[in-house]
Amino acid sequence: MTPFQFRTVPHIVSAPGAAGELARHASPALRGAKRLLVVTDQGVRGLGLLDKALEGLEADGYAVHVYDKVVADPPESVIFQAVSEGREFGAQAVIGFGGGSPMDTAKVVALLLGSDQPLDDMYGMDRVKGPRLPLVLIPTTAGTGSEVTSVAVITTGATSKRGIAAAPLYADMAVLDADLTLGLPKHITAATGIDAMVHAIEAFTGKRFKNPVSDALALAALKMLHTHLERACKDGSDREARAGMLLGAMLAGQAFSNSPVGGVHAMAYPLGGMFHVPHGLSNSVVLPPVLRFNASAAEAPYGEIAGHIGLEASSAGLIAEMDRIAQAVGIERRLSELGISHNDIPAMAEDVAANDRLLPNNPRPMAYGDIVAMYEEIL
Ligand SMILES: [Fe+2]
């Protein structure tokens, strides 16, 4: 058997309503910290998702400062602003509360408040020295899995994004409260849910770091997500479906944090970077051509996935089912529906071809011409 390593967050709490009892659940992870910086965004705050958590924390004697100005695709300026507010407040621990952007921001803020390593030195793989402040992450969408990954993605220029991937980014605790996801609109539920399925598919077919633990998690994730995605889209108040999606996204996050994503994410990044298409939607749109392209090199794992979720055990079975799901949940299928035209393809394809972090994980090598052809296919 090929040697491997597997890491994840050491303490996970999954319970409906857990956010309202955050003080009790998070207390071991906070290691005595009494001054908490909560990192979130205005959408989450406006929906009142934080209210119960804040009430509970304050009733238990915690002093809390809320930084709620995280934006999608967070730039460095947001990180620095949160760090400066946290420092002024005397924060002793950080709580990330929201979708991928607030959680990624919280990870980096906890590092910057806990050590004097400059942000610029942290980008890349395993460059973070730590230590960091105690960190608890609470997702309010079911997709990114960021609550259990060791990655944070930051926007560093007009269109460019950089990642920080290192073990100190694993939080001390992830708290899964499916009630927080009950109000997610159908379109976001669909796109983020398909993104979570992509995490599991890409982890299971990863060329470099695929391992028995990430494989088991990826298959469990796919079963959970496949069972609940359409139900959650059809009836957002279906608590069992919401819990299944949140758990499935977390399992997929554990899988891809150890066996990283490949060609689908590489093809999705320029849609976000250049056209601000949300991450989940970008992945959903580019998934079909990449699955078809990879099929010749990934017949066995695609077939295994398809069989595991009750389909005909072949790549054709998986491809047809992912197409059917995209149609059933009403997700966009074409780049032109997202305002992307033929003339944009060369620059996008160049960006993908230069992605030497993700392309080596893809089961089949992807050259510039292949990438152009795949974008053309879905124009
Ligand atoms: Fe993703």
Side-chain angles (χ1 to χ4, degrees), residues 143-144 195-196 198-199 256 261 265 269 279-280 283:
T144 71
D195 181 39
V198 174
H199 295 155
F256 91 87
V261 291
H265 274 73
Y269 276 159
H279 176 82
N283 275 287

Side-chain angles (χ1 to χ4, degrees), residues 314-326:
S314 68
S315 63
L318 179 65
I319 292 167
E321 181 65 356
M322 293 309 296
D323 266 339
R324 189 197 63 74
I325 292 172

Side-chain angles (χ1 to χ4, degrees), residues 10-11 38-39 75 105 112 139 179 193 196 213 248 278 284 322 333 342 360:
H11 191 164
V38 173
V39 176
T105 302
L112 290 170
D179 287 358
V213 183
S284 308
M322 293 309 296
R333 316 296 303 281
H342 180 77

Side-chain angles (χ1 to χ4, degrees), residues 31-42:
R31 302 198 297 266
K34 282 289 175 192
R35 300 184 69 78
L36 313 179
L37 174 68
V38 173
V39 176
T40 188
D41 63 34
Q42 280 170 356

Side-chain angles (χ1 to χ4, degrees), residues 332-348:
E332 286 89 335
R333 316 296 303 281
R334 303 251 146 226
L335 296 177
S336 48
E337 292 173 80
L338 307 172
I340 299 170
S341 73
H342 180 77
N343 295 340
D344 299 317
I345 290 181
M348 289 161 59

Side-chain angles (χ1 to χ4, degrees), residues 6 199-200 203-204 211 213-215 217-218 250-260:
F6 184 87
H199 295 155
F204 195 73
N211 66 78
V213 183
S214 64
D215 281 356
L217 290 163
M250 189 271 284
L251 296 171
Q254 290 181 315
F256 91 87
S257 190
N258 290 277
S259 175

